[in-house]
Amino acid sequence: MANPLTQDVLVDPVVLTRTLIDIESVSRDEKLIADCVEDVLRQIPYLSTQRHGNTVMARTALGRDQRVVLAGHLDTVPLNENFPSTVVDDLIYGCGASDMKSGVALALHLAATLPDPGYDITYLFYESEEIESHLNGLHLVSQAYPEWLLADFAVLLEPTYGVVEAGCQGTMRVRVRTRGRRAHTARAWRGVNAIHAAGEILQRLTDYRPRTVTIDGCTFREGLNAVAIHGGVAGNVVPDECTVEVNLRFAPDRTEKQALAHVHEVFHGFELEVTDSAPGALPGLSAAAARDFLTAVGEEPSAKLGWTDVSRFAALGIPALNYGPGDPLLAHAQDEHVEIGKIRDGAATLHRWLAAY
Ligand SMILES: [Zn+2]
């Protein structure tokens, strides 16, 4: 098959968005799109290109003072009768239109059209962001080639509808467990009901008042919620165990350790088991390249409330933020689409930032 990412396509980020949507790339099936992207990047003389699995990295080596990363994942969630792309007025519809083929298109367009940027740039196009984190291309690169990620600042082109979303909240899932003693319900006084005991856990969740924290002008709203409850043995047995699974979303001024201490405090007296944990990321807007970027965008940043790969960069001490043309509310939706105007605005903003030298 001839590579659809031709020169004519690369110079226009809107056409490029459609072309990328039309290369199917559901998670774990990214070989074709990675082949196409790698092939294009290898033909660009001012970039040196390497590949690890279905993750492609290309970078300049111009000897600039600072290096920035532009990154985007190549995979999408499963198709949902939204493939290939269609255009209605100024909207491009299709799987991945918002999350995040339009963001990938911006990075690839810049890679192909910016021979002389003001910063050295590392472009990262990675696999398997939409599935389990041990398969995530950025995670795999951080294990195999951590030097690929080194930079002074990183922009992830995830959907933000053209605003800057800085930092991200951490997340932790914890099982809060009660124990009792089994008995026949006909002789219930011989047992201790673990489901009844869980009432206290739910009461503490109901009474909980989450914090709102402002850092670097970004407001993070925390949350503590029950997301599942398990218990019960049979219709005639007093249950001896009940677990309430709780998810804490925490502002990045808390470390994972502090977040866990907080959960212990809230559920004092109960048995806890952590099942999942990922740190947040501070906005990091004081870095020089980040300030220049904000000037180019010309708008105030807001806080990222979900967990994103920016925290992988933060863990390496690299300030990172999200900025992309897609609407995050449309990500993973059947009618996922992106506004052509947002793609053009995003391309213009990134050009303004990166070409200013
Ligand atoms: Zn995404």
Side-chain angles (χ1 to χ4, degrees), residues 306-329:
W307 193 88
T308 79
D309 278 330
V310 297
S311 72
R312 290 185 202 279
F313 287 97
L316 297 168
I318 301 165
L321 50 76
N322 290 289
Y323 171 79
D327 181 344
L329 300 177

Side-chain angles (χ1 to χ4, degrees), residues 12-315:
D12 185 335
V14 174
V15 178
L16 181 53
T17 297
R18 267 202 90 170
T19 309
L20 288 168
I21 294 170
D22 291 342
I23 304 173
E24 191 183 322
S25 61
V26 176
S27 308
R28 306 311 283 153
D29 191 18
E30 302 106 323
K31 182 179 181 301
L32 176 61
I33 197 167
D35 286 351
C36 293
V37 168
E38 180 189 8
D39 174 54
V40 165
L41 293 170
R42 284 199 187 278
Q43 291 173 42
I44 300 174
Y46 50 86
L47 295 176
S48 72
T49 301
Q50 285 172 277
R51 176 163 174 167
H52 179 58
N54 287 324
T55 295
V56 184
M57 184 279 291
R59 61 187 166 191
T60 62
L62 302 165
R64 304 288 192 246
D65 294 342
Q66 302 220 3
R67 174 173 295 279
V68 300
V69 167
L70 295 183
H73 60 83
L74 294 171
D75 63 320
T76 68
V77 294
L79 307 184
N80 185 10
E81 292 169 22
N82 52 7
F83 182 90
S85 65
T86 50
V87 173
V88 180
D89 299 327
D90 63 340
L91 304 177
I92 301 174
Y93 283 81
C95 187
S98 163
D99 185 12
M100 56 173 287
K101 297 274 174 91
S102 50
V104 166
L106 292 188
L108 198 53
H109 165 70
L110 288 162
T113 57
L114 254 188
D116 193 28
Y119 304 94
D120 269 309
I121 305 180
T122 302
Y123 299 96
L124 273 163
F125 302 96
Y126 62 101
E127 62 182 323
S128 295
E129 189 272 346
E130 300 287 6
I131 53 174
E132 306 93 286
S133 97
H134 71 276
L135 299 170
N136 180 300
L138 272 190
H139 167 71
L140 298 177
V141 163
S142 74
Q143 304 292 303
Y145 302 101
E147 68 277 10
W148 289 10
L149 303 181
L150 292 185
D152 299 285
F153 176 56
V155 176
L156 270 88
L157 295 143
E158 289 278 7
T160 66
Y161 204 54
V163 304
V164 176
E165 293 187 341
C168 80
Q169 305 219 106
T171 178
M172 178 171 288
R173 268 204 307 276
V174 177
R175 288 194 187 121
V176 188
R177 186 171 284 114
T178 60
R179 293 192 191 276
R181 190 169 61 242
R182 286 192 200 188
H184 197 299
T185 46
R187 290 174 290 278
W189 65 88
R190 297 180 60 87
V192 177
N193 192 312
I195 292 181
H196 294 185
E200 171 65 18
I201 299 171
L202 302 182
Q203 192 57 51
R204 289 191 198 176
L205 286 165
T206 305
D207 294 341
Y208 185 78
R209 292 290 166 265
R211 289 189 317 158
T212 296
V213 185
T214 301
I215 307 163
D216 281 359
C218 300
T219 300
F220 295 90
R221 296 187 61 169
E222 295 190 328
L224 183 66
N225 283 280
V227 292
I229 186 160
H230 301 281
V233 180
N236 56 358
V237 178
V238 174
D240 59 347
E241 190 177 319
C242 180
T243 57
V244 181
E245 193 164 333
V246 166
N247 182 214
L248 172 69
R249 296 289 170 145
F250 55 96
D253 64 331
R254 299 193 206 255
T255 63
E256 284 175 280
K257 210 174 147 195
Q258 289 166 334
L260 180 59
H262 177 63
V263 174
H264 271 287
E265 204 175 275
V266 173
F267 297 109
H268 181 75
F270 289 97
E271 189 184 321
L272 299 185
E273 180 197 350
V274 177
T275 57
D276 184 43
S277 175
L282 288 164
L285 297 175
S286 49
R291 284 202 308 271
D292 290 347
F293 176 74
L294 290 176
T295 305
V297 176
E299 270 176 54
E300 290 301 305
S302 61
K304 182 74 186 175
L305 298 183
W307 193 88
T308 79
D309 278 330
V310 297
S311 72
R312 290 185 202 279
F313 287 97

Side-chain angles (χ1 to χ4, degrees), residues 3 38 234 298 336:
N3 191 339
E38 180 189 8
E336 182 172 356

